Amino acid sequence: MLTFIKKFKSKMLRTIIIDDEQSVRKTLEKLLARNCPNVKLVAEADGVNSGIETIRKYHPDLILLDIKMDDGTGFDLLKQLEPVDFKVIFITAYDQYAIKAIKFSALDYLLKPVDPEDLTEAVNKAEKLLLFELNQQLGTLEENMLTQEKSKKKIILKTFDNIHLVKLIDIVYCESQDNYTNFHLLGNKKILVSNTLKDYDEMLSEYGFFRAHKSYLVNLMHIDRFEKADGGSVVLNNEIKIPVASRKKDQLLEMLHKIAGN
């Protein structure tokens, strides 16, 4: 048993860096050497086509993948290699749309310039990620990138023992529970995940979700009515009543009027 543990711990992540900027590749190479003893860098590539060739040649465990390159995107590369049999960490300059899609899919990304601590954390998480889970995440990412319809977008919610693919339209409201968030779905289903409500507020606000109260994030499409009594609250289609913070009331009413006018 001890022999097995030693062998397991000594396994290195065979890694490829794919980025069209040589300076970025060199920086990542140095950061990996200094901070990630579990990584063995086996090759580098500077684009989609060269990246595909390099992956097929070296069969890596992990790739650090730039999103925008001269001959395409990191998503184009992954599409040509499905199903993916290696772990992925995206590397990107700030791209709000791409980052939003990646967050929805619960995948890891690093912003340029790459922070050493963030790199180490992402590599360690990738090492523990199951390939089945990764392909589910990449599938959701692809769906979200291709569809512009909010009703068809999905989010991945990861619990201790499950990976849930949830349509945004099926989320009724989200409730804060300390550092956790409880998702209340259609059919009285609940999913508790270990991220804060603030994380999901930032992620979902442009998709028709409203932070009515410090403890509640509500899907506006599931609101039945606004009640003025007791300082104000919204009643959802399932008759659940959610309090509305006094400073949020005018903003909420304005949003509801816009929805009613559409």
Side-chain angles (χ1 to χ4, degrees):
M1 184 67 178
L2 289 174
T3 303
F4 172 80
I5 292 172
K6 286 178 182 177
K7 285 182 179 178
F8 179 80
K9 286 185 175 180
S10 66
K11 185 182 186 304
M12 302 284 279
L13 285 174
R14 291 167 47 79
T15 301
I16 294 175
I17 298 170
I18 303 175
D19 195 295
D20 60 358
E21 297 179 67
Q22 184 178 17
S23 60
V24 173
R25 297 198 304 272
K26 293 303 177 187
T27 298
L28 286 170
E29 182 179 348
K30 291 177 182 176
L31 290 175
L32 289 171
R34 291 174 188 165
N35 300 284
C36 302
N38 52 338
V39 164
K40 179 182 180 181
L41 185 63
V42 295
E44 298 178 6
D46 61 2
V48 172
N49 294 326
S50 61
I52 291 170
E53 291 177 9
T54 305
I55 289 168
R56 286 173 174 163
K57 179 178 179 180
Y58 288 96
H59 304 287
D61 303 307
L62 171 68
I63 62 169
L64 305 184
L65 180 61
D66 192 14
I67 289 182
K68 290 185 177 180
M69 294 175 280
D70 291 337
D71 61 346
T73 69
F75 307 130
D76 297 330
L77 179 149
L78 294 172
K79 181 66 177 173
Q80 295 185 56
L81 294 168
E82 292 179 339
V84 171
D85 62 356
F86 48 80
K87 318 294 174 59
V88 182
I89 299 171
F90 291 102
I91 310 291
T92 182
Y94 188 74
D95 179 332
Q96 186 174 5
Y97 179 65
I99 289 173
K100 184 80 71 173
I102 291 168
K103 283 184 176 180
F104 268 51
S105 309
L107 288 159
D108 260 326
Y109 71 94
L110 298 171
L111 283 176
K112 299 176 183 179
V114 174
D115 179 82
E117 290 186 8
D118 291 342
L119 175 62
T120 303
E121 182 180 352
V123 167
N124 290 337
K125 284 172 67 177
E127 189 174 20
K128 298 172 184 176
L129 185 65
L130 295 174
L131 290 176
F132 169 75
E133 178 181 333
L134 174 66
N135 277 285
Q136 282 192 309
Q137 291 169 308
L138 290 173
T140 304
L141 173 63
E142 183 181 3
E143 285 185 50
N144 285 337
M145 293 293 288
L146 290 175
T147 182
Q148 298 301 315
E149 294 184 47
K150 294 180 180 180
S151 63
K152 292 184 178 179
K153 287 191 179 292
K154 297 177 182 177
I155 188 170
I156 282 187
L157 302 177
K158 295 168 66 175
T159 61
F160 179 75
D161 52 1
N162 286 297
I163 306 165
H164 301 268
L165 280 69
V166 177
K167 290 182 180 178
L168 298 191
I169 198 170
D170 291 342
I171 302 170
V172 181
Y173 70 98
C174 308
E175 180 182 9
S176 174
Q177 293 189 3
D178 297 321
N179 290 323
Y180 290 78
T181 298
N182 204 356
F183 279 75
H184 295 258
L185 311 180
L186 291 176
N188 294 319
K189 183 177 179 181
K190 298 179 184 179
I191 301 174
L192 184 67
V193 295
S194 59
N195 293 86
T196 66
L197 190 64
K198 181 177 182 293
D199 294 330
Y200 291 110
D201 182 17
E202 294 172 354
M203 207 181 300
L204 297 172
S205 59
E206 67 183 83
Y207 295 96
F209 286 75
F210 184 76
R211 187 77 174 268
H213 183 275
K214 66 178 182 179
S215 298
Y216 295 97
L217 181 67
V218 180
N219 187 339
L220 295 174
M221 299 307 296
H222 290 289
I223 292 178
D224 179 71
R225 63 188 182 273
F226 177 82
E227 292 187 349
K228 297 179 180 179
D230 301 322
S233 59
V234 288
V235 181
L236 306 180
N237 294 329
N238 58 5
E239 292 300 314
I240 295 291
K241 187 178 289 189
I242 303 292
V244 177
S246 57
R247 62 187 177 85
K248 294 292 188 87
K249 186 169 75 170
D250 290 342
Q251 185 184 354
L252 174 62
L253 291 174
E254 182 181 345
M255 294 180 78
L256 292 177
H257 282 307
K258 284 182 180 179
I259 292 173
N262 289 338

